[in-house]
Amino acid sequence: MFKVFKVGDFLILAIFSVILFISLSIYLNLPSGDILKIDYQNQTIKYSLNQNKKIDLENLSIEINMGKARIRHSNCKNQYCVMQGWISHINQSIICVPNLFKMTISQNMDAHDSTNY
Amino acid sequence: MTAQTTDIHIIAKLSAIAIVLHTAEFFLPSPIFGLKPGIANIVVLFTYYYFNVRSAAYVSLIRVFISSLILGTFLTPTFFLSFSGAIFSLGCLAIASYCLKSKYFSIYSFSMIMSLGHIVGQFVCVRLFIIQDNGVFFLLPIFIIFAFIFAVINAYIVDKILRVAKSHIKNDKIYP
């Protein structure tokens, strides 16, 4: 009666690990995006990610380097946005709260988002 | 169907233990925000095995409401996260207790199903009401891994408690 593991436990364990595997594979194989969307000072600007470009804004500067983007400099106190490093996958974003800044990577067609994958 | 007075007493005592555990757990430090071992679910799982799903629902919901009143998080996002997690895990427990026979599925299965339901409920609540962005699902693998670990630990503890309780209480309702 008190035998610890039973047959069904391994079934549940298998289902559990399948769910874990699916979520991990979604997590690891995110599609890389090609549009960088910047929300700053009440306006939205879009840049293509397939270029080498340095963008200087009022309080911070952004660097785009062939499919990935980062914040190079910022005048905020904690520098969390700079320490985030490069982002390249869809729906990844960097925000800088002191400067009210947000940049997100998205795909070219707005109709498709990450729920399609 | 009215429950026996002794049953109500035991449910009240178990709810009190669950409230204490949940309140103590609130003050534990955690490396990731929201990552908690869920030790109050030990009591819920014990109640399920000792009585039935209905009593487990009583204990779980009383725990959520009263401990949120104690901690001062009533009707805050923390409370709604806790509440949705409890509702989903109880729903999963009810479905599992209806579908799965205890001949083939032990306490570890029920614990894993409950913890997975808890995580799913919390993520649904977060996605719908708090952070309306698909980015929250990036945290799902981490939470699933820790849900599995803590589910196994909790089930082991409940198993030990039930072994002791069985010799003390002399009740055949344990392990229905």
Side-chain angles (χ1 to χ4, degrees):
Chain A
M1 195 176 191
F2 281 120
K3 243 176 77 178
V4 181
F5 272 109
K6 293 175 183 171
V7 184
D9 288 349
F10 296 102
L11 185 70
I12 300 291
L13 195 62
I15 294 170
F16 211 101
S17 43
V18 164
I19 293 170
L20 179 62
F21 183 75
I22 291 169
S23 61
L24 264 181
S25 64
I26 291 171
Y27 182 73
L28 294 175
N29 298 318
L30 285 171
S32 51
D34 45 15
I35 291 284
L36 181 70
K37 217 162 68 177
I38 293 175
D39 293 319
Y40 188 52
Q41 290 173 342
N42 294 326
Q43 50 183 336
T44 304
I45 317 160
K46 285 184 180 178
Y47 291 100
S48 170
L49 272 178
N50 298 317
Q51 57 180 343
N52 287 316
K53 194 179 170 80
K54 289 183 176 116
I55 307 157
D56 288 317
L57 298 172
E58 195 178 309
N59 291 326
L60 27 77
S61 67
I62 300 149
E63 182 178 359
I64 298 173
N65 184 3
M66 299 311 286
K68 51 189 185 177
R70 67 163 177 169
I71 295 183
R72 288 177 69 224
H73 299 294
S74 167
N75 66 349
C76 56
K77 185 186 163 198
N78 290 322
Q79 301 283 311
Y80 289 140
C81 48
V82 180
M83 283 187 254
Q84 280 251 310
W86 296 98
I87 55 172
S88 58
H89 295 306
I90 284 180
N91 277 343
Q92 275 190 315
S93 60
I94 297 178
I95 60 170
C96 183
V97 178
N99 291 323
L100 301 177
F101 171 87
K102 177 190 177 191
M103 68 181 195
T104 313
I105 289 182
S106 59
Q107 217 184 15
N108 211 344
M109 289 164 286
D110 279 341
H112 290 253
D113 57 13
S114 65
T115 52
N116 289 36
Y117 291 90
Chain B
M1 197 176 90
T2 54
Q4 299 285 317
T5 316
T6 48
D7 287 2
I8 294 174
H9 275 222
I10 296 173
I11 288 172
K13 284 172 189 168
L14 288 169
S15 307
I17 297 169
I19 291 163
V20 168
L21 287 177
H22 188 252
T23 313
E25 187 190 64
F26 183 81
F27 295 106
L28 284 178
S30 75
I32 304 170
F33 177 72
L35 188 68
K36 289 178 189 167
I39 44 181
N41 286 324
I42 294 171
V43 185
V44 177
L45 202 58
F46 176 82
T47 315
Y48 166 67
Y49 270 99
Y50 190 69
F51 292 109
N52 47 32
V53 180
R54 218 175 128 191
S55 309
Y58 278 135
V59 170
S60 184
L61 293 178
I62 288 170
R63 186 259 297 180
V64 167
F65 276 93
I66 304 293
S67 60
S68 74
L69 283 173
I70 289 171
L71 297 168
T73 59
F74 188 57
L75 296 182
T76 58
T78 316
F79 164 74
F80 285 111
L81 282 182
S82 181
F83 185 66
S84 63
I87 290 285
F88 266 74
S89 78
L90 285 173
C92 289
L93 182 66
I95 295 167
S97 68
Y98 186 73
C99 298
L100 307 181
K101 287 199 170 63
S102 63
K103 191 180 170 188
Y104 303 113
F105 295 91
S106 79
I107 198 158
Y108 289 90
S109 296
F110 284 92
S111 185
M112 280 190 274
I113 288 167
M114 274 184 75
S115 67
L116 194 63
H118 200 274
I119 290 297
V120 169
Q122 285 193 332
F123 268 87
V124 167
C125 181
V126 168
R127 176 65 183 84
L128 286 181
F129 301 115
I130 299 172
I131 305 169
Q132 294 172 349
D133 192 286
N134 283 328
V136 289
F137 291 109
F138 296 144
L139 283 172
L140 197 56
I142 303 165
F143 277 87
I144 287 179
I145 289 169
F146 281 99
F148 170 71
I149 293 169
F150 289 129
V152 170
I153 293 171
N154 286 355
Y156 178 76
I157 294 169
V158 176
D159 193 41
K160 288 289 173 197
I161 294 171
L162 280 171
R163 280 167 200 238
V164 177
K166 190 182 186 324
S167 60
H168 276 272
I169 296 166
K170 299 184 180 66
N171 192 337
D172 279 342
K173 282 196 289 185
I174 297 172
Y175 277 60

